[in-house]
Amino acid sequence: HDICAVYTRRDKPVGRKQVLTAPPVKEVALAHGTPVFQPRTLRDGSEDDTIRALAPELIVVVAYGCILPKSVLEMPRYGCINERRHQLHEVIRLSGMNLIIDDNDHQLIIKVASIPAARVQMDEGLDTGDVLYCKKITIDPEETSGELFDRVTAVGAEALCETIPQIAAGTLTAVPQQHENATLAPMLNKEMAEFH
């Protein structure tokens, strides 16, 4: 498959010296000669013509942090999919990786799900698309959230590589999520931290 472009968040200041730093995905894309776009938002329609000209057959979203408007969701022939990490069958967002470690719940599910074309704004129905593919991993009791993040990133990439050919072949069965089990993870605070 050819990657026609990468959309990612804008470069941001990092560290004490506030050095303007590019997202890692941008660095990898540029190293491979892939065009990179970093708009502030997609919701105002300013990127619609550019994306339409790129003519993507599939859009893959991974921790992008921007809402895709209906105009973009409806462009690709095979739609838009989202790779995300869940604790069992519940939706865990924001500080989810840390909470999974904190709760000692030693199972994580990597899900590849469709993004409903009708979803045009962020609300309680976010991440409501049908599940196309899952990979389960076991979390070591001594594993930190940082270690888990690195491992899950690799597993998520494998899940996408296994899913995309099946999407093109039309061999996947979409399974609706159990929305009654969905929860929203709270933001982490200092009281939740352990210091050693």
Side-chain angles (χ1 to χ4, degrees):
H1 304 284
D2 295 321
I3 300 174
C4 59
V6 166
Y7 273 75
T8 187
R9 300 306 296 264
R10 293 184 168 187
D11 299 3
K12 64 180 182 180
V14 173
R16 289 184 179 179
K17 295 186 178 181
Q18 293 291 283
V19 177
L20 194 63
T21 305
V25 68
K26 176 183 179 179
E27 296 175 352
V28 173
L30 292 176
H32 287 83
T34 303
V36 175
F37 299 89
Q38 296 175 279
R40 184 186 59 79
T41 182
L42 296 176
R43 298 179 72 176
D44 61 5
S46 60
E47 288 294 312
D48 286 10
D49 289 343
T50 302
I51 296 172
R52 195 172 290 110
L54 290 167
E57 292 188 296
L58 177 72
I59 291 178
V60 177
V61 180
V62 181
Y64 181 37
C66 287
I67 300 297
L68 274 61
K70 185 177 180 182
S71 58
V72 173
L73 292 173
E74 293 180 339
M75 283 184 202
R77 173 183 175 189
Y78 295 108
C80 303
I81 60 172
N82 184 17
E83 183 266 298
R84 56 187 187 266
R85 299 94 196 248
H86 289 245
Q87 180 181 14
L88 302 180
H89 295 291
E90 297 185 348
V91 177
I92 299 293
R93 298 185 211 104
L94 304 177
S95 52
M97 204 73 76
N98 303 75
L99 288 178
I100 289 168
I101 296 291
D102 184 58
D103 290 344
N104 296 314
D105 195 335
H106 302 305
Q107 190 175 42
L108 189 68
I109 299 177
I110 311 302
K111 289 183 178 179
V112 177
S114 62
I115 302 177
R119 182 65 54 203
V120 296
Q121 61 183 5
M122 184 180 293
D123 60 16
E124 292 179 351
L126 185 66
D127 291 345
T128 55
D130 293 346
V131 177
L132 302 175
Y133 187 85
C134 289
K135 285 182 82 83
K136 294 182 181 180
I137 65 172
T138 300
I139 303 169
D140 188 288
E142 301 299 317
E143 194 166 18
T144 67
S145 58
E147 292 167 343
L148 177 61
F149 180 86
D150 290 342
R151 192 158 62 92
V152 165
T153 298
V155 175
E158 291 173 5
L160 286 172
C161 289
E162 292 166 9
T163 303
I164 291 172
Q166 296 180 62
I167 291 173
T171 56
L172 287 175
T173 301
V175 179
Q177 296 189 66
Q178 299 174 340
H179 302 302
E180 64 276 8
N181 293 334
T183 59
L184 181 63
M187 294 294 289
L188 292 178
N189 57 45
K190 290 182 179 179
E191 286 68 36
M192 296 178 181
E194 276 190 41
F195 298 94
H196 299 282

